Amino acid sequence: MALKDSYLLPAAADMHVHLRNAPGPIAELVTPTIRKAGIDTVFVMPNLAPRPVVTVDEALEYKKALQAYDPEVNYLMSLYLHESITPDEIRKAKKAGIAGVKAYPRGATTNSQWGVVSFDPFHEVLSTMESEGLVLNLHGEMPSSPTDNVTVMNAESKFLPTLTSLHSKYPKLKIVLEHCTTADAVAAVRACGPNVVATITAHHLSLLVDDWSANVHHYCKPSAKSPEDRRALLQALVTSEGKFFLGTDSAPHDISSKKGKGNTAAGVFTQPYALGYVLTALEEGIARGDIKEEQVTEEVLAGFLSAFGRKFYELGPAEKKILVKRDGAVVEEGLKTDKVEIVPYRSGERTWSVEWQ
């Protein structure tokens, strides 16, 4: 048995996207693809280069630049947890409508060289975030270290004691464990109180580590993991009850950064077809026996793709509907301008289409 041929759903909210520097050629190309996917709200990551977004003024300037590409999207802006951030800047951020502060363990992922080595120096900032109701968004991996026996395969699990410690020390702080990829992470988030949730990407619902290592366009941080971990993510989706919601971690890179000289850039570009990838992963999961067909209802999809993320960030419900239809689209081979070329996940494959209602 398969999923239905179509679903009428509230407009989706993607609570983890990378749009790159704006103004800039990648942002100009990918920002207009947000609504193409049936998404009207996105949480925008701050790890820009050569300088991350560390002040409220920088975040608002970035938002204005993105609005020039598509003013119909609701951009939730964030700051990069950096040693220069003060409690006063946190209070200013809350008043300005900044949605969260992203913490990157130093050296763990793209543009994390300015990130956190220890959370101890940020006690006053985290306490202020807790009292102001500003979200802490965690890249939940330890940096790879042969000395400490940390690799891409166990980096997330090794980070989970940090998550537990932060939740214990700041019990009222709202925390998102971003792009969780392991059964261990799912269990850890479930064990925490209601202020701790997690995002799940579209590509981690389908990729395994073998796929991840075989194709540069599948290469990302955190890495894809085992069949058991993928099963845990699918089960978390269909039994979320608000603990897990969509955050694609769509991360565009020019093809020269994926296939050029040197190390491959980490990131999977899923933005234009995000909902289709999720539905395809669910259908594949049903076929394997990872989840049951009856678990995939319109209510479950509406929660994971839209309602749960909006509720956590204290937004109102979606005002518009979308119709998602089986096999109504084909993933482009590439998005291209005279300046950049970006290859989407599963390029050339048939996927679900999205129509705004």
Side-chain angles (χ1 to χ4, degrees):
M1 298 294 289
L3 299 182
K4 292 165 53 177
D5 286 336
S6 65
Y7 293 91
L8 184 64
L9 300 169
D14 184 350
M15 296 310 188
H16 187 128
V17 304
H18 295 273
L19 301 175
R20 308 307 184 200
N21 294 54
I26 293 181
E28 183 178 8
L29 180 60
V30 304
T31 304
T33 70
I34 294 169
R35 283 180 49 80
K36 177 179 179 178
I39 295 164
D40 70 358
T41 298
V42 292
F43 185 100
V44 183
M45 291 296 134
N47 58 329
L48 305 183
R51 174 183 168 85
V53 180
V54 297
T55 71
V56 173
D57 291 345
E58 289 171 345
L60 295 179
E61 183 179 354
Y62 185 24
K63 180 176 183 177
K64 185 176 179 180
L66 294 173
Q67 288 173 326
Y69 294 134
D70 189 344
E72 295 188 61
V73 174
N74 179 23
Y75 303 95
L76 305 179
M77 307 308 294
S78 61
L79 302 181
Y80 188 112
L81 188 60
H82 183 266
E83 59 189 11
S84 65
I85 288 183
T86 64
D88 283 343
E89 194 70 14
I90 294 299
R91 285 185 278 269
K92 181 179 177 181
K94 181 64 176 180
K95 290 179 181 178
I98 303 302
V101 179
K102 180 70 181 289
Y104 294 88
R106 186 171 297 179
T109 190
T110 304
N111 296 339
S112 62
Q113 61 266 40
W114 308 285
V116 174
V117 176
S118 166
F119 283 95
D120 292 343
F122 295 98
H123 172 66
E124 290 188 12
V125 167
L126 294 172
S127 294
T128 305
M129 290 174 61
E130 184 179 33
S131 62
E132 292 288 333
L134 201 60
V135 175
L136 174 65
N137 306 84
L138 295 173
H139 180 105
E141 291 187 292
M142 298 299 290
S144 292
S145 168
T147 303
D148 297 325
N149 192 32
V150 180
T151 72
V152 293
M153 291 303 291
N154 64 10
E156 182 172 271
S157 295
K158 293 276 190 179
F159 181 85
L160 295 175
T162 300
L163 169 68
T164 303
S165 174
L166 286 167
H167 180 45
S168 176
K169 192 169 184 179
Y170 309 98
K172 295 182 180 180
L173 178 63
K174 299 180 76 171
I175 300 175
V176 181
L177 181 66
E178 299 288 351
H179 43 52
C180 68
T181 63
T182 60
D184 288 346
V186 170
V189 170
R190 287 200 185 281
C192 292
N195 286 338
V196 178
V197 300
T199 56
I200 298 176
T201 77
H203 54 282
H204 285 117
L205 291 170
S206 58
L207 287 176
L208 296 177
V209 64
D210 289 356
D211 310 312
W212 172 86
S213 63
N215 186 328
V216 294
H217 301 298
H218 294 169
Y219 178 73
C220 57
K221 295 284 189 75
S223 69
K225 301 298 193 304
S226 71
E228 292 79 12
D229 291 313
R230 180 177 64 184
R231 183 181 306 118
L233 298 182
L234 288 163
Q235 291 175 348
L237 189 164
V238 298
T239 61
S240 168
E241 297 182 342
K243 271 288 191 178
F244 303 91
F245 48 80
L246 179 66
T248 63
D249 192 20
S250 178
H253 291 281
D254 182 66
I255 194 168
S256 63
S257 297
K258 298 296 278 184
K259 288 191 170 184
K261 295 179 180 180
N263 292 339
T264 297
V268 178
F269 179 54
T270 55
Q271 198 73 70
Y273 307 97
L275 275 58
Y277 297 138
V278 171
L279 288 166
T280 297
L282 288 168
E283 199 152 48
E284 292 170 347
I286 292 169
R288 288 191 303 269
D290 290 344
I291 53 174
K292 297 178 180 179
E293 180 185 1
E294 57 266 28
Q295 291 180 290
V296 185
T297 64
E298 285 195 354
E299 182 179 6
V300 164
L301 292 174
F304 178 78
L305 297 173
S306 183
F308 296 153
R310 295 178 194 273
K311 182 178 180 181
F312 185 79
Y313 282 99
E314 301 179 11
L315 308 175
E319 296 180 358
K320 295 184 179 180
K321 297 280 189 178
I322 53 173
L323 182 65
V324 187
K325 299 169 66 175
R326 176 193 303 281
D327 291 339
V330 176
V331 179
E332 295 168 87
E333 294 289 347
L335 282 70
K336 187 185 301 187
T337 68
D338 60 350
K339 297 179 180 178
V340 293
E341 179 180 359
I342 301 167
V343 177
Y345 183 51
R346 290 189 160 187
S347 60
E349 295 186 17
R350 294 208 68 84
T351 190
W352 299 65
S353 62
V354 175
E355 298 174 6
W356 286 91
Q357 302 298 293

